[in-house]
Amino acid sequence: MIPGIGALTQDTLWCFSQVKGTIEIGATEADIISTVEFNHTGELLATGDKGGRVVIFQREQESKNQVHRRGEYNVYSTFQSHEPEFDYLKSLEIEEKINKIRWLPQQNAAYFLLSTNDKTVKLWKVSERDKRPEGYNLKDEEGRLRDPATITTLRVPVLRPMDLMVEATPRRVFANAHTYHINSISVNSDYETYMSADDLRINLWNFEITNQSFNIVDIKPANMEELTEVITAAEFHPHHCNTFVYSSSKGTIRLCDMRASALCDRHTKFFEEPEDPSNRSFFSEIISSISDVKFSHSGRYIMTRDYLTVKVWDLNMENRPIETYQVHDYLRSKLCSLYENDCIFDKFECVWNGSDSVIMTGSYNNFFRMFDRNTKRDVTLEASRENSKPRAILKPRKVCVGGKRRKDEISVDSLDFSKKILHTAWHPSENIIAVAATNNLYIFQDKVN
């Protein structure tokens, strides 16, 4: 178990730490956060939004005189990652919205991250500059070229200190390999390759080669009318570079081994929970679609999120999950209206904490849920500006279904479905979480006594 990450939920008091972003009244569609990701040390936190921007926050050094306040995250770099494009062949607009961000482990002073919209993956280098060269021979101090006839002496250029500047530069652009929208990118544990997945295909890329990728999964039928499912998410195993999983809209998960064959159309393992016929309804297929799949840090388990539940699967048991957590079971009676307002197609993500003992996922009304796998306790918390005073302790929220409502409960009929937590992230080694609520990024941490 990682020190500092112990049992959770009722035993842990979560406090408000920070909120980033404008108040919702002044927000535009482009400001809506579409992905959140800590880097491998947790020192940096990146968000992508619908306007194609990436904002990186850096954790400040902790101050000696304020022991109870841990380092806050402040803006480190902001850059435009993707621009809107137009596909003239299909007469389609390609949105600039950032679908996913994935960090590469840090090898030197610079940071590298992958970002993707629907069609194009980019590798960005984020580096610092605090010195500039001065004393060129062929240029004057303003940068204009000097007349060679006037140069009588040779100067040795020197490095002078300057204000710290953070530069983001695109190092690679991986384009033109996807016909359908990219829903996942995942960096391999060999750190030489990564994969990108769309509805019907998964491609394997080498970081050094931009004009060629290898198609490792292709589920496109010869006749598109026979199409019964699509790929919804994919991820590499954290330690074995040959293994990856992908999930489908039918609620199944396939584990593939790239050593078995070049095209992984035949899976090595197939995880599926048979449906209870008594629960079958018109919505069964929609709500069983998996919106996110994540390996545990240990690599032993897979977590999947569908519309109503989070499930944990053991890699050694394919016929059913070992744990199932109800995220918002009270919505089962509301599926009809959720279908009419399209909320039933929302894609919620899920994350593990650093020691794989607690899982977190989002819900509506800006609620997010945590489940402690050891104590089987769970808690519902809310990301809202109302209780956003520094160090304010988050009160657990409860939703009541029918009957008499208690003072501190909220009725299922008064939930706001336009406010939803789709994207969350957990610091790799501490109890610090980042939660994206529309255009605001909330950061919470556990209360330190």
Side-chain angles (χ1 to χ4, degrees):
M1 182 162 294
I2 291 175
I5 293 195
L8 229 122
T9 55
Q10 272 92 335
D11 313 325
T12 303
L13 291 173
W14 287 91
C15 302
F16 171 83
S17 174
Q18 292 167 270
V19 59
K20 305 282 185 186
T22 51
I23 294 169
E24 274 148 32
I25 305 155
T28 62
E29 177 83 1
D31 296 329
I32 294 174
I33 297 172
S34 52
T35 183
V36 186
E37 193 77 14
F38 279 102
N39 76 338
H40 292 256
T41 60
E43 290 306 299
L44 298 181
L45 172 63
T47 65
D49 64 24
K50 285 195 171 181
R53 292 179 299 257
V54 171
V55 181
I56 301 174
F57 301 92
Q58 186 181 42
R59 195 173 180 183
E60 298 295 315
Q61 293 300 312
E62 296 174 32
S63 57
K64 294 278 183 284
N65 51 1
Q66 291 179 303
V67 184
H68 65 282
R69 275 189 70 178
R70 284 173 287 174
E72 291 200 337
Y73 285 85
N74 290 318
V75 175
Y76 177 63
S77 175
T78 304
F79 56 93
Q80 189 72 30
S81 173
H82 287 69
E83 302 279 356
E85 295 171 59
F86 193 80
D87 184 337
Y88 292 99
L89 284 173
K90 297 203 187 75
S91 295
L92 279 177
E93 283 184 49
I94 300 168
E95 280 188 279
E96 64 272 40
K97 173 188 164 216
I98 308 292
N99 292 344
K100 285 281 184 288
I101 289 173
R102 289 288 178 264
W103 290 92
L104 276 69
Q106 195 178 356
Q107 309 283 352
N108 50 31
Y111 301 99
F112 287 87
L113 62 87
L114 286 173
S115 65
T116 184
N117 67 349
D118 285 342
K119 296 288 178 199
T120 305
V121 185
K122 294 184 181 182
L123 174 68
W124 289 88
K125 177 186 180 183
V126 181
S127 53
E128 296 182 358
R129 258 212 347 228
D130 59 357
K131 291 184 178 65
R132 68 164 179 265
E134 278 181 12
Y136 287 107
N137 288 290
L138 299 176
K139 290 179 184 171
D140 62 18
E141 299 311 319
E142 265 70 64
R144 292 186 297 264
L145 283 172
R146 290 162 64 185
D147 178 6
T150 64
I151 301 169
T152 54
T153 56
L154 278 179
R155 297 193 289 177
V156 177
V158 290
L159 289 172
R160 296 246 185 271
M162 60 177 255
D163 289 341
L164 180 70
M165 203 167 88
V166 180
E167 291 179 312
T169 45
R171 297 307 300 268
R172 306 268 189 282
V173 177
F174 305 90
N176 306 324
H178 286 277
T179 313
Y180 306 96
H181 295 342
I182 298 172
N183 55 45
S184 303
I185 46 175
S186 179
V187 179
N188 200 346
S189 58
D190 62 10
Y191 306 134
E192 290 176 14
T193 55
Y194 77 91
M195 68 178 170
S196 56
D198 66 26
D199 290 349
L200 299 180
R201 293 197 174 106
I202 300 176
N203 292 332
L204 181 71
W205 300 84
N206 186 300
F207 279 113
E208 300 302 321
I209 303 166
T210 58
N211 59 355
Q212 186 184 23
S213 65
F214 294 97
N215 181 224
I216 51 174
V217 172
D218 187 349
I219 64 165
K220 186 178 179 180
N223 177 4
M224 280 295 270
E225 286 173 7
E226 293 165 11
L227 183 69
T228 57
E229 62 181 337
V230 293
I231 298 166
T232 54
E235 191 178 59
F236 269 119
H237 190 284
H239 313 303
H240 304 314
C241 61
N242 52 282
T243 310
F244 66 94
V245 293
Y246 68 93
S247 59
S248 85
S249 56
K250 274 192 160 176
T252 61
I253 308 111
R254 290 171 176 84
L255 180 86
C256 301
D257 187 339
M258 292 191 289
R259 295 171 303 187
S261 67
L263 190 63
C264 301
D265 283 359
R266 283 206 192 85
H267 45 264
T268 311
K269 291 191 174 182
F270 182 76
F271 301 85
E272 182 179 29
E273 183 173 31
E275 196 195 1
D276 181 356
S278 62
N279 286 342
R280 182 124 192 100
S281 75
F282 168 74
F283 304 109
S284 293
E285 205 158 298
I286 303 172
I287 63 172
S288 67
S289 174
I290 292 173
S291 54
D292 197 15
V293 60
K294 292 265 176 38
F295 271 106
S296 61
H297 296 84
S298 67
R300 168 78 189 269
Y301 304 103
I302 314 170
M303 166 168 58
T304 58
R305 170 74 211 256
D306 56 40
Y307 192 65
L308 295 177
T309 65
V310 172
K311 292 171 180 167
V312 177
W313 305 76
D314 189 316
L315 282 191
N316 301 324
M317 190 164 92
E318 297 168 59
N319 58 342
R320 60 187 171 86
I322 53 167
E323 297 157 30
T324 300
Y325 300 99
Q326 301 295 337
V327 178
H328 37 217
D329 203 43
Y330 46 79
L331 295 183
R332 216 174 270 282
S333 59
K334 293 256 173 290
L335 293 177
C336 203
S337 55
L338 289 164
Y339 179 74
E340 285 164 8
N341 65 14
D342 277 352
C343 283
I344 202 166
F345 301 107
D346 285 332
K347 292 178 167 40
F348 292 95
E349 294 170 8
C350 51
V351 288
W352 302 88
N353 72 341
S355 62
D356 299 335
S357 60
V358 183
I359 53 189
M360 172 172 65
T361 190
S363 180
Y364 293 104
N365 210 67
N366 279 1
F367 287 171
F368 57 99
R369 305 266 285 135
M370 289 184 185
F371 303 95
D372 189 314
R373 298 180 57 211
N374 300 323
T375 63
K376 298 296 179 243
R377 287 175 171 179
D378 64 270
V379 66
T380 303
L381 301 170
E382 182 182 6
S384 80
R385 284 187 178 263
E386 272 72 83
N387 53 2
S388 57
K389 293 184 183 67
R391 315 300 299 157
I393 292 172
L394 300 189
K395 290 194 183 75
R397 304 304 305 260
K398 281 202 169 55
V399 178
C400 75
V401 187
K404 209 161 159 243
R405 188 167 70 87
R406 288 211 193 107
K407 183 166 69 76
D408 57 344
E409 290 183 336
I410 181 167
S411 159
V412 70
D413 296 314
S414 54
L415 293 174
D416 186 344
F417 291 107
S418 67
K419 294 181 174 177
K420 48 193 117 176
I421 306 278
L422 301 175
H423 315 287
T424 58
W426 201 306
H427 189 288
S429 58
E430 294 180 45
N431 277 335
I432 299 174
I433 55 174
V435 171
T438 323
N439 61 313
N440 288 310
L441 179 72
Y442 288 86
I443 298 173
F444 303 107
Q445 46 182 270
D446 62 346
K447 183 172 166 54
V448 177
N449 300 327

